[in-house]
Amino acid sequence: MTTVSLTINGDRRQVDVEDRTLLVDLLRETLGMTGTHVGCDTTQCGACTVILDGKAVKSCTILAVMAEGAELRTIEGLADGDTLHPMQQAFCDNHALQCGFCTPGMIMAAVNIIERHGTDIDESLVRRELEGNLCRCTGYHNIVKAVLDVAGKLPRASE
Amino acid sequence: MTQKPGKLRAEFRTELPSGWAFDEIEARIGPIRDQLFKQIGQPVRRKEDRRLVTGRGRFTDDFSVPGECYAALVRSPYPHARIKGIDPSAALELPGVLAVYTGVDALADGLGPIPHSPVPSTKFDVRLTAPDGEAPFIGPHLLLPIDKARHVGEAVAVVIADTKARAEDAAERVDVDWEELPHVTDSLEAIRPGSPRLWDEVPDNTLVCSHFGDADATDAAFQSAAHRVRAKFHINRVTAVTIEPRAALADYDKASARSTLYAGSGGAVRQKRELASVLGIDPDDLRVLSYDVGGNFGARNRVYVEFGLILWASRKLERPVKFTATRSEAFLTDYQGRDLHTTVELALDENGQFLAMRADNVSNVGARCVSLSPLSKGSGLITGSYHIPVAHLVARAVFTNTMCTQAYRSSGRPEVTYAIERLVEIAAEQCGFDPIDLRRRNLVSADQMPYRNAVGAIYDSGAYEENMDKAMALFQWPDIAARRDDARARGKLLGVGLANYVESSIGSPVERAEIAVSPDGEVEVVIGTQPSGQGHETSFAQVVADMLQMPVEAVTITLGDTDIVSVGGGSHSGRSMRHAGTVMTMASADLLAEARRRAGAEFGTPAEDLAFEDGAFKCRATNRFLTLSDLSTATAPLAVARTNEMHAPVFPNGTAICEVEIDPDSCQIEITRYASVDDVGRCINPLIVHGQSHGGIAQGVGQAMWEDCAIDPSSGQQIAGSLLDYGMPRADNVPSFDCEIAEVLSPTNPLGIKAGGEGGTTPALATVTLAVLDALRPLGVRDISMPITPERIWQALASAREANMQELVP
Ligand code: FES
Ligand code: FES
């Protein structure tokens, strides 16, 4: 067992974990934060995406002990009380989710796109950036639209 | 341009069976007046989104129960092998291992097979039978087999341990004594004489063989036809890849002797009924919870062995047991889809009028038969959107040493749509007709509706030619030549593929709704469908809100808990909105009738004199009014329940068009445009319906371009076992879509609903393939099979070049 200290959504946490524990398991199993999901075992689906020290990462492919001292943001920490984060709101407004399983990872990845690129983005950049997040329900159309919506830009196609 | 001789209409307008059209009087609902619709038809934002965007969804693996332990499965590495013995001793020695159970233990405890009901059961489904006309032998689906494993990945033992890692470690140490047997994975191989046999009960592996249509008339039409074309296709096997892997948690309460199963599925009621039967317990002793479900697409409709195994184990060990499939397990053992071999033939007269069709469809059901829905659905629709006077079909279902197949998004219909649309295109090319003109000439026309096709399906309503025109306008069809030139200038080959489709939406016939209005104005609706992203909490609330003239926010939909929801067919075959919409409309009428009676008594006026406006009963004489909540009290709540049985299928239809650009050097394909027009009948929520279409298109495109459960015939192993080797639609390989909804109401239900969602998938296999062939036609390519990878394009170009060379050599 190793003690990991990290900040999660602004709260300092100290957690004892087995060395082989994945970051996503620390969240889901140890802390009961089940908003971050697991959809695969080969770092392909992105359902587990969180923002670690300002970068969107797949938490299924990082050991919990590697997050020592890090600042971690998850879907649970995005809204400000009852007010949704603009990306969460845009996902609702544009019907960018159906089953909602990919959604937490998708939103964290999308938030990070805006954080890294600002609002100077277009459809092809968004599509390229989201290539590592799989969604089986939406065909991506409305997800792309939601991200562009946050940036104040909407794609050509109809609803 | 359109030639529809009047005599065809007279001849093919069909006698309607009783109970086909919806009867408002018999159903005891008043006429439904569209003018009152305030919510129906609006793009209402979804009620379910808030919890899902904030990480508060309730997916199966999110649940934990104190003291839970974990199940891991011992799976067959062979496609076909006899189990000579299973030795668990090495596994049991490991710390934390609680038990290892085999099929022999299950038999000793009296566990039964999963009571799959593979033969679709409504009055209008085509009748599939064994070759002798009897009910087909389906191969008992025991939780763990005792004689042999019949496909790679079949579970033969279950290990329970206190952690997931320990359970997995222990599963590797269970020693199975295997005797490998010869195997067969392709259905056409399996029906050859002398092929390996899966079940002694079915020596030639053919569990179903049925004939439909009129063989003699079809033969006669073929003999006298000016043109005949023929083609053979394989619609490849794919898998659902729900992003949430299948999972379940079983909890046993010794005091009450009841089990609770948390398991996302396509319908909790079926899971409860069938799992209770497997365990041999009273259904009342099992509660199934299915809250948020991370995608279904058919794969979660049927019961999985793991669900039964953990229920059984938790009862034996008196501890909660959890199972969450890894993605690799999902690839091997989620119920898979498609896998149809089809041979189709079309006869045409000299003007291009279709005269007759023949089809020979062979469905690969896998190692046992879980569902015949794909074969059955496709059988009724072989003639597609076209008027073909006579047809003959042989439909066969075949066992092979592969994972079982099941309905997968738009079960059976993309397969036959692919076949007919490719056949029509081949006919146009071989007989010298323009492919659009040929389609136009033969489409079933709006005034032929309701139309009975040559194998007996009754298309309810639709304007097929209008769909095609609208889709071509949406796609900006006249600009194709200019875009082709533009692509050529960039060194790219541009191709366009158009497909018309019609599909049947049937599904299990019974649905029940309970509606209660509380004294404080909350409306609670209990219903037995099960969403997995389709937004029922919103669209169902829209329907009830309009019926009761209440705000949509006041309506709460309760589903997914079998202690509350007693009846319900689940969500499949595009049935939910139609069945739920109908029964909710009926229950609303009952509720209003009761409220009217109470209001009349209260006012002391005849109930029929009261007006119902804005959610209140008004007494015209006194101007007094009573709202529904006023009429509900704690002691006498306003509450009703209605169960409805509805058999008549509906036929969503439409047209889709795909444009691709191919780089002839790298053979990379890009989808540059995709347009579709989908007639879904009445559309309750266009936001949701569009979303369904988008997702459906991506899944169809996925099958055409990347997805493939390829099986190596020599080893019987599935080649794709992870998301690294199973190609998926991703944000960067699909375009945005131009979708339009058409609403031709169905006469079979009160709201006129057909279905949405599957229509995106149904034509997509054909549109993509036809677009690629259109692009490659100038280089001599005439055929290509799915998935159309760059490698396949490269091979097709290479063989076309070779053929050209040979033609040049004298
Ligand atoms: S769980 Fe799939 S990428 Fe992390
Ligand atoms: S919304 Fe279902 S996987 Fe994305």
Side-chain angles (χ1 to χ4, degrees), chain B residues 118-130:
Chain B
V119 185
S121 61
T122 76
K123 292 182 205 152
F124 293 92
D125 283 301
V126 303
R127 293 268 162 265
L128 293 172
T129 66

PDB file of all heavy atoms in Angstrom, chain B residues 118-130:
ATOM      1  N   PRO B 118     -37.016 -17.631 -29.582  1.00  0.00           N
ATOM      2  CA  PRO B 118     -36.419 -17.017 -30.772  1.00  0.00           C
ATOM      3  C   PRO B 118     -37.388 -16.741 -31.905  1.00  0.00           C
ATOM      4  O   PRO B 118     -37.121 -15.877 -32.733  1.00  0.00           O
ATOM      5  CB  PRO B 118     -35.358 -18.028 -31.209  1.00  0.00           C
ATOM      6  CG  PRO B 118     -35.748 -19.313 -30.585  1.00  0.00           C
ATOM      7  CD  PRO B 118     -36.524 -18.993 -29.344  1.00  0.00           C
ATOM      8  N   VAL B 119     -38.510 -17.464 -31.934  1.00  0.00           N
ATOM      9  CA  VAL B 119     -39.413 -17.270 -33.071  1.00  0.00           C
ATOM     10  C   VAL B 119     -40.310 -16.071 -32.780  1.00  0.00           C
ATOM     11  O   VAL B 119     -41.066 -16.087 -31.822  1.00  0.00           O
ATOM     12  CB  VAL B 119     -40.270 -18.521 -33.323  1.00  0.00           C
ATOM     13  CG1 VAL B 119     -41.104 -18.340 -34.584  1.00  0.00           C
ATOM     14  CG2 VAL B 119     -39.388 -19.762 -33.438  1.00  0.00           C
ATOM     15  N   PRO B 120     -40.228 -15.010 -33.576  1.00  0.00           N
ATOM     16  CA  PRO B 120     -41.062 -13.829 -33.327  1.00  0.00           C
ATOM     17  C   PRO B 120     -42.537 -14.205 -33.280  1.00  0.00           C
ATOM     18  O   PRO B 120     -42.999 -15.076 -34.024  1.00  0.00           O
ATOM     19  CB  PRO B 120     -40.758 -12.915 -34.520  1.00  0.00           C
ATOM     20  CG  PRO B 120     -39.397 -13.320 -34.975  1.00  0.00           C
ATOM     21  CD  PRO B 120     -39.349 -14.810 -34.738  1.00  0.00           C
ATOM     22  N   SER B 121     -43.268 -13.519 -32.379  1.00  0.00           N
ATOM     23  CA  SER B 121     -44.551 -14.091 -31.981  1.00  0.00           C
ATOM     24  C   SER B 121     -45.788 -13.269 -32.304  1.00  0.00           C
ATOM     25  O   SER B 121     -46.871 -13.649 -31.913  1.00  0.00           O
ATOM     26  CB  SER B 121     -44.519 -14.319 -30.472  1.00  0.00           C
ATOM     27  OG  SER B 121     -44.335 -13.056 -29.834  1.00  0.00           O
ATOM     28  N   THR B 122     -45.671 -12.130 -32.999  1.00  0.00           N
ATOM     29  CA  THR B 122     -46.919 -11.418 -33.259  1.00  0.00           C
ATOM     30  C   THR B 122     -47.641 -12.089 -34.418  1.00  0.00           C
ATOM     31  O   THR B 122     -47.067 -12.881 -35.167  1.00  0.00           O
ATOM     32  CB  THR B 122     -46.706  -9.931 -33.611  1.00  0.00           C
ATOM     33  OG1 THR B 122     -46.232  -9.841 -34.948  1.00  0.00           O
ATOM     34  CG2 THR B 122     -45.735  -9.257 -32.669  1.00  0.00           C
ATOM     35  N   LYS B 123     -48.928 -11.711 -34.574  1.00  0.00           N
ATOM     36  CA  LYS B 123     -49.751 -12.340 -35.613  1.00  0.00           C
ATOM     37  C   LYS B 123     -49.209 -12.040 -37.010  1.00  0.00           C
ATOM     38  O   LYS B 123     -49.533 -12.731 -37.962  1.00  0.00           O
ATOM     39  CB  LYS B 123     -51.174 -11.789 -35.532  1.00  0.00           C
ATOM     40  CG  LYS B 123     -51.936 -12.184 -34.306  1.00  0.00           C
ATOM     41  CD  LYS B 123     -53.361 -11.610 -34.396  1.00  0.00           C
ATOM     42  CE  LYS B 123     -53.977 -11.433 -33.032  1.00  0.00           C
ATOM     43  NZ  LYS B 123     -54.964 -10.359 -32.997  1.00  0.00           N
ATOM     44  N   PHE B 124     -48.429 -10.957 -37.133  1.00  0.00           N
ATOM     45  CA  PHE B 124     -48.000 -10.543 -38.462  1.00  0.00           C
ATOM     46  C   PHE B 124     -46.564 -10.938 -38.790  1.00  0.00           C
ATOM     47  O   PHE B 124     -46.059 -10.625 -39.848  1.00  0.00           O
ATOM     48  CB  PHE B 124     -48.179  -9.030 -38.629  1.00  0.00           C
ATOM     49  CG  PHE B 124     -49.617  -8.617 -38.621  1.00  0.00           C
ATOM     50  CD1 PHE B 124     -50.241  -8.251 -37.444  1.00  0.00           C
ATOM     51  CD2 PHE B 124     -50.350  -8.633 -39.790  1.00  0.00           C
ATOM     52  CE1 PHE B 124     -51.583  -7.883 -37.438  1.00  0.00           C
ATOM     53  CE2 PHE B 124     -51.692  -8.273 -39.792  1.00  0.00           C
ATOM     54  CZ  PHE B 124     -52.312  -7.886 -38.605  1.00  0.00           C
ATOM     55  N   ASP B 125     -45.863 -11.584 -37.864  1.00  0.00           N
ATOM     56  CA  ASP B 125     -44.517 -12.036 -38.185  1.00  0.00           C
ATOM     57  C   ASP B 125     -44.595 -13.209 -39.141  1.00  0.00           C
ATOM     58  O   ASP B 125     -45.534 -14.010 -39.096  1.00  0.00           O
ATOM     59  CB  ASP B 125     -43.787 -12.477 -36.906  1.00  0.00           C
ATOM     60  CG  ASP B 125     -43.297 -11.305 -36.068  1.00  0.00           C
ATOM     61  OD1 ASP B 125     -42.507 -10.513 -36.590  1.00  0.00           O
ATOM     62  OD2 ASP B 125     -43.725 -11.178 -34.906  1.00  0.00           O
ATOM     63  N   VAL B 126     -43.579 -13.311 -40.020  1.00  0.00           N
ATOM     64  CA  VAL B 126     -43.578 -14.460 -40.927  1.00  0.00           C
ATOM     65  C   VAL B 126     -43.324 -15.721 -40.092  1.00  0.00           C
ATOM     66  O   VAL B 126     -42.708 -15.676 -39.037  1.00  0.00           O
ATOM     67  CB  VAL B 126     -42.502 -14.318 -42.031  1.00  0.00           C
ATOM     68  CG1 VAL B 126     -42.719 -13.048 -42.815  1.00  0.00           C
ATOM     69  CG2 VAL B 126     -41.105 -14.385 -41.478  1.00  0.00           C
ATOM     70  N   ARG B 127     -43.837 -16.847 -40.558  1.00  0.00           N
ATOM     71  CA  ARG B 127     -43.773 -18.089 -39.788  1.00  0.00           C
ATOM     72  C   ARG B 127     -42.540 -18.892 -40.148  1.00  0.00           C
ATOM     73  O   ARG B 127     -42.484 -19.513 -41.207  1.00  0.00           O
ATOM     74  CB  ARG B 127     -45.014 -18.946 -40.076  1.00  0.00           C
ATOM     75  CG  ARG B 127     -46.284 -18.346 -39.564  1.00  0.00           C
ATOM     76  CD  ARG B 127     -46.617 -18.819 -38.145  1.00  0.00           C
ATOM     77  NE  ARG B 127     -47.594 -17.932 -37.530  1.00  0.00           N
ATOM     78  CZ  ARG B 127     -47.295 -16.894 -36.734  1.00  0.00           C
ATOM     79  NH1 ARG B 127     -46.046 -16.636 -36.413  1.00  0.00           N
ATOM     80  NH2 ARG B 127     -48.224 -16.137 -36.221  1.00  0.00           N
ATOM     81  N   LEU B 128     -41.559 -18.882 -39.272  1.00  0.00           N
ATOM     82  CA  LEU B 128     -40.362 -19.678 -39.530  1.00  0.00           C
ATOM     83  C   LEU B 128     -40.499 -21.021 -38.827  1.00  0.00           C
ATOM     84  O   LEU B 128     -40.863 -21.080 -37.657  1.00  0.00           O
ATOM     85  CB  LEU B 128     -39.125 -18.942 -39.002  1.00  0.00           C
ATOM     86  CG  LEU B 128     -38.767 -17.633 -39.723  1.00  0.00           C
ATOM     87  CD1 LEU B 128     -37.644 -16.912 -38.985  1.00  0.00           C
ATOM     88  CD2 LEU B 128     -38.353 -17.891 -41.167  1.00  0.00           C
ATOM     89  N   THR B 129     -40.188 -22.076 -39.558  1.00  0.00           N
ATOM     90  CA  THR B 129     -40.307 -23.414 -38.971  1.00  0.00           C
ATOM     91  C   THR B 129     -39.083 -24.254 -39.320  1.00  0.00           C
ATOM     92  O   THR B 129     -38.280 -23.883 -40.180  1.00  0.00           O
ATOM     93  CB  THR B 129     -41.533 -24.165 -39.527  1.00  0.00           C
ATOM     94  OG1 THR B 129     -41.298 -24.405 -40.929  1.00  0.00           O
ATOM     95  CG2 THR B 129     -42.823 -23.366 -39.361  1.00  0.00           C
ATOM     96  N   ALA B 130     -38.994 -25.394 -38.666  1.00  0.00           N
ATOM     97  CA  ALA B 130     -37.986 -26.380 -39.029  1.00  0.00           C
ATOM     98  C   ALA B 130     -38.315 -26.906 -40.424  1.00  0.00           C
ATOM     99  O   ALA B 130     -39.434 -26.719 -40.913  1.00  0.00           O
ATOM    100  CB  ALA B 130     -37.989 -27.505 -38.005  1.00  0.00           C
TER     101      ALA B 130
END
